[in-house]
Amino acid sequence: MKIIGDYHTHTIFSHGKGTIRDNVEAAIDKGLKEIAICDHGPGHRLYGVKKKEIFEMRKIIDELNQEYEDINILLGVEANVMDYNGTIDIDEEILKAIDILLLGFHYGIIPKDGGSRFKFYFLNPISKVLPFLQKRMVNLNTEAIIKAINKYPIDLITHPGSKARLDIKKVAKAAYNRGTALEINSNHSQLSVENIKIALTEKVEFYINSDAHEPSMVGNVNKGLERALEAKVPIHRIKNIEG
Ligand SMILES: [Zn+2]
Ligand SMILES: [Zn+2]
């Protein structure tokens, strides 16, 4: 089994350690045919990419694609779920500039409406210790991400179940209906083996990505691959692995 592309890598445009060129050269060294540069969306207060930087990144990637013939470089964004209506931090202009759209739950965003702020920063953390709230939060988080899946052309949900708990079966079903894949993330524990097995009961497809924050980690998907093997994911359902 071999990884052919890594679709989730970070650079200095958010909080990664390497430049776009560093990630691309690392990917070439590892024999990848494709790499996506997906820094955090502009809604992230601490390390989100600024909107104007996305257009700078576009230019850099277009030039690197001219320079390197052996690899295809995609510009993406790892967008943030911004509220419980499924709004994300990507507008039409950004959508036109990028090649791939990733979406995940992250802390570090400030929802515009007070209700979402309360759910995200108060109910979500305390629901982890108060069992009677858990089901309600899982439902709310799941609804939010499904609304986003139905509203935007999302290619991939990153680390589903990390940061905010989700009903993976429902997310997998909604994702499949919209051609959105789920990520088995090598840098986070989700999807876990148990959650991969749940997702497998729907027809959704998967990516196994590094979520590299430094160039040396690009293409390093061993942890994700191990979980996929343990959960017995058929290889044809993993979009970036070949047998
Ligand atoms: Zn993430
Ligand atoms: Zn990431």
Side-chain angles (χ1 to χ4, degrees):
M1 276 205 207
K2 192 172 169 292
I3 174 176
I4 47 177
D6 190 345
Y7 295 88
H8 186 171
T9 73
H10 293 276
T11 72
I12 47 173
F13 279 98
S14 56
H15 63 155
K17 293 208 170 71
T19 61
I20 297 178
R21 181 184 289 273
D22 292 336
N23 280 19
V24 169
E25 288 177 353
I28 293 169
D29 281 348
K30 297 212 169 137
L32 302 187
K33 297 191 176 84
E34 204 158 58
I35 179 173
I37 306 295
C38 300
D39 278 308
H40 288 280
H44 201 292
R45 289 293 175 111
L46 298 175
Y47 37 73
V49 63
K50 291 189 185 70
K51 185 175 168 180
K52 68 172 190 334
E53 290 175 327
I54 291 180
F55 306 106
E56 261 174 64
M57 295 172 81
R58 176 77 270 169
K59 198 166 165 273
I60 295 169
I61 287 174
D62 288 345
E63 284 166 8
L64 288 170
N65 268 320
Q66 295 286 325
E67 187 178 334
Y68 291 104
E69 285 176 0
D70 298 339
I71 192 161
N72 189 36
I73 311 153
L74 304 178
L75 171 62
V77 183
E78 185 180 13
N80 298 291
V81 178
M82 293 301 290
D83 60 32
Y84 280 87
N85 298 315
T87 307
I88 72 169
D89 53 348
I90 299 299
D91 62 20
E92 278 298 320
E93 264 182 299
I94 298 176
L95 264 185
K96 276 193 197 127
I98 60 177
D99 306 306
I100 181 169
L101 178 57
L102 279 51
L103 175 70
F105 269 102
H106 298 95
Y107 290 100
I109 56 120
I110 312 283
K112 283 203 182 89
D113 67 292
S116 291
R117 280 202 294 276
F118 177 72
K119 286 170 195 152
F120 202 67
Y121 285 106
F122 184 70
L123 287 188
N124 237 331
I126 65 163
S127 72
K128 289 181 182 156
V129 286
L130 296 177
F132 66 94
L133 271 177
Q134 259 172 36
K135 202 161 182 258
R136 177 161 171 232
M137 276 326 294
V138 167
N139 287 341
L140 285 167
N141 294 335
T142 302
E143 270 171 35
I145 207 142
I146 290 175
K147 282 180 189 166
I149 287 171
N150 290 330
K151 247 191 251 186
Y152 302 91
I154 296 159
D155 295 288
L156 170 64
I157 302 295
T158 58
H159 43 70
S162 290
K163 324 276 182 187
R165 291 188 199 183
L166 299 171
D167 182 325
I168 296 296
K169 188 167 173 68
K170 283 189 188 157
V171 173
K173 187 171 186 181
Y176 171 73
N177 286 337
R178 291 275 292 162
T180 305
L182 301 186
E183 182 183 59
I184 301 169
N185 185 303
S186 304
N187 195 29
H188 289 281
S189 60
Q190 296 293 342
L191 292 167
S192 62
V193 173
E194 188 191 347
N195 278 335
I196 296 169
K197 286 181 182 166
I198 294 170
L200 279 173
T201 62
E202 300 293 336
K203 286 183 272 183
V204 70
E205 291 186 302
F206 304 90
Y207 282 92
I208 306 180
N209 291 321
S210 69
D211 198 356
H213 287 70
E214 52 185 281
S216 65
M217 296 305 283
V218 169
N220 192 340
V221 295
N222 288 344
K223 282 191 179 157
L225 203 51
E226 276 168 25
R227 300 204 301 271
L229 287 171
E230 201 182 326
K232 299 192 169 61
V233 184
I235 200 162
H236 69 269
R237 287 183 64 175
I238 309 174
K239 289 170 82 95
N240 61 332
I241 299 282
E242 67 185 15

